[in-house]
């Protein structure tokens, strides 16, 4: 796999209870193939946050990386919007 072809997602932090790990919920919109209606799906990813700087409610950008643990395959790239 080429180094520049990593998946990048934007989502909202929903949990910071683990050590150096945050849970980010990513929303995806797509058109239903039969009914042609826009469908919203949500998926939660465990993300590595080395400096533990993200808080619940922050909008963050995550990037695919090597497996860090059994469930972590993404790391925090940057915090785009801080929670109020």
């Amino acid at each position: 796999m080429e180094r520049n072809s990593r998946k990048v997602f934007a989502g909202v932090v929903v949990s910071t209870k683990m050590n150096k790990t945050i849970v980010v919920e990513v929303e995806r919109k797509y058109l239903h193939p039969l009914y042609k209606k826009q469908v919203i799906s949500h998926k939660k990813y465990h993300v590595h946050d080395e400096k533990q700087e993200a808080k619940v409610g922050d909008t963050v950008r995550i990037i695919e990386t090597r497996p860090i643990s059994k469930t972590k395959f993404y790391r925090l790239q940057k915090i785009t919007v801080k929670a109020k």
Side-chain angles (χ1 to χ4, degrees), residues 14-65:
V14 292
S15 173
T16 58
K17 293 187 188 287
M18 292 174 274
N19 188 24
K20 294 189 180 180
T21 304
I22 58 175
V23 180
V24 177
E25 187 174 51
V26 175
E27 184 179 282
R28 186 174 82 92
K29 293 180 182 177
Y30 63 96
L31 210 59
H32 191 279
L34 178 62
Y35 300 116
K36 308 298 183 214
K37 181 184 176 183
Q38 199 171 52
V39 181
I40 300 172
S41 68
H42 299 271
K43 187 166 183 183
K44 291 180 181 175
Y45 294 98
H46 286 177
V47 179
H48 186 66
D49 183 10
E50 183 65 39
K51 298 173 189 165
Q52 298 183 359
E53 52 194 10
K55 303 283 181 249
V56 175
D58 288 354
T59 303
V60 296
R61 192 179 315 161
I62 61 175
I63 188 166
E64 191 178 35
T65 186

